[in-house]
Amino acid sequence: MKNRFSYKLLGAKVDALSIPDLNVLIEESIDKDDKWIIANHNLHSLYLFHNDLKMQAFYAKAEYTHIDSMPLVFIGKLLGFPMKREQRVTYADWVWPLMAEAANKGWRVFYLGSKPGVAEKGASILCQRFPGLQIACAHGYIDMDKDSQENLATLAAINAYKPHILMVGMGMPRQEYWISENLEHIHTNIILTTGACMDYVAGAIPTPPRWMGKVGLEWLYRLLCEPKRLWRRYLLEPWFVGTLFLREIWSISNQQKKNKMLIFISTRFHKFVVLSSLSKPYQ
């Protein structure tokens, strides 16, 4: 893809991509018949990434990693990266244009995740909204052992459907673990880590007002809706991410000091050479 902008942000690689950019990437993978993981980073995933070797291994396998956190966009801008608000993409926003594109272009979608019955309800809503959409589902409450009967049956169902897009919504880090352990046996073009995407579509979890996402307050809405499950993620983990940010600022400051010193030394040396050459007597 042309005009791809990748950055090293708080120790992790991210790609500054908008929804149209991501849809183009999916079409590219399908046209090439490649298999790509398109992952995402937010504050929670950064915390996991820096404390979990399995998560680091997963992200190393991802072809692209888009930004799913407005605070990350704000941090990126503070660090000098030319990031834009529309390059924060969350599935609460992306699922609708993505399914519209899938319906228009005949892409088959398989969704793995959510509690039994939730995915089916969400898929029904999507099919009513986008006539012609081809989507199949399986719940995510399975035995995660790669050799378990449930897991093998799930893989068989996915591969029999031959999806162009596999959406895995089991929550972090469970969905990333499952993808990593089963990647070689999954036959699809695009694998997406979608979290609670279908829960939002089905209404099992209230969708945060979209204006809150644009100003970086979606986390507060989610915390108020699910305090027991999310308090640690939103009240403790950001402190760790804050230390990463301070480290990054310190590193940039030190590098700027080194650059100034190098420029100073280079300038002084240049002046010395010039003066030395001027002071030489004519032969």
Side-chain angles (χ1 to χ4, degrees):
M1 176 184 174
K2 295 180 180 179
N3 302 323
R4 173 184 172 184
F5 297 100
S6 297
Y7 306 103
K8 190 74 174 290
L9 181 62
L10 304 183
K13 183 185 79 70
V14 295
D15 301 293
L17 298 163
S18 64
I19 286 175
D21 293 334
L22 287 162
N23 284 346
V24 166
L25 287 174
I26 287 178
E27 184 171 20
E28 182 182 335
S29 175
I30 292 170
D31 288 344
K32 291 180 176 179
D33 197 24
D34 286 339
K35 181 164 70 174
W36 293 350
I37 296 172
I38 297 183
N40 59 78
H41 261 314
N42 52 39
L43 297 185
H44 178 51
S45 70
L46 275 178
Y47 175 83
L48 294 172
F49 176 83
H50 285 284
N51 292 280
D52 188 333
L53 293 177
K54 287 185 180 180
M55 288 293 277
Q56 292 175 24
F58 167 79
Y59 280 101
K61 296 173 184 175
E63 193 75 19
Y64 296 93
T65 302
H66 67 88
I67 302 167
D68 179 17
S69 168
M70 191 57 75
L72 275 188
V73 172
F74 294 154
I75 289 171
K77 291 170 80 69
L78 285 172
L79 292 174
F81 300 133
M83 293 179 177
K84 302 174 183 177
R85 287 179 181 266
E86 59 267 28
Q87 291 169 334
R88 180 263 186 170
V89 177
T90 183
Y91 280 94
D93 298 318
W94 186 21
V95 64
W96 307 103
L98 175 58
M99 293 301 104
E101 197 86 351
N104 290 335
K105 297 189 174 173
W107 298 340
R108 290 182 301 280
V109 180
F110 195 105
Y111 178 84
L112 170 64
S114 302
K115 294 179 180 178
V118 173
E120 288 79 2
K121 182 179 179 181
S124 176
I125 291 170
L126 291 171
C127 287
Q128 290 174 21
R129 177 83 172 266
F130 306 108
L133 176 65
Q134 303 174 68
I135 183 168
C137 305
H139 70 79
Y141 284 67
I142 60 173
D143 183 345
M144 291 283 286
D145 189 313
K146 62 186 299 185
D147 296 318
S148 72
Q149 287 300 115
E150 281 184 311
N151 194 62
L152 293 174
T154 299
L155 287 170
I158 292 168
N159 293 334
Y161 189 69
K162 298 180 180 178
H164 297 99
I165 302 170
L166 172 63
M167 304 170 72
V168 184
M170 297 178 176
M172 289 183 173
R174 194 167 181 263
Q175 60 196 11
E176 287 80 11
Y177 291 171
W178 185 86
I179 292 168
S180 289
E181 291 179 7
N182 296 280
L183 184 59
E184 62 181 307
H185 302 295
I186 299 170
H187 304 314
T188 187
N189 296 116
I190 288 290
I191 302 174
L192 304 175
T193 50
T194 62
C197 170
M198 201 64 84
D199 297 72
Y200 288 133
V201 173
I205 297 175
T207 301
R210 302 324 303 139
W211 67 265
M212 294 188 82
K214 293 178 181 178
V215 298
L217 289 176
E218 189 167 307
W219 66 271
L220 179 59
Y221 183 90
R222 295 191 65 193
L223 176 62
L224 293 173
C225 290
E226 300 182 86
K228 187 175 180 180
R229 187 175 75 88
L230 297 176
W231 72 271
R232 183 180 296 274
R233 178 186 303 187
Y234 291 131
L235 298 181
L236 295 185
E237 292 178 9
W239 292 99
F240 173 81
V241 178
T243 63
L244 296 177
F245 176 66
L246 292 176
R247 256 187 248 162
E248 194 101 354
I249 292 292
W250 180 261
S251 175
I252 291 171
S253 177
N254 285 341
Q255 188 60 50
Q256 288 174 342
K257 288 178 182 177
K258 288 178 183 177
N259 290 341
K260 287 180 181 178
M261 182 61 70
L262 288 172
I263 292 170
F264 175 77
I265 293 171
S266 176
T267 303
R268 302 294 285 186
F269 180 73
H270 179 71
K271 286 182 180 179
F272 172 76
V273 171
V274 171
L275 290 173
S276 296
S277 63
L278 291 175
S279 63
K280 287 181 180 179
Y282 292 105
Q283 299 296 325

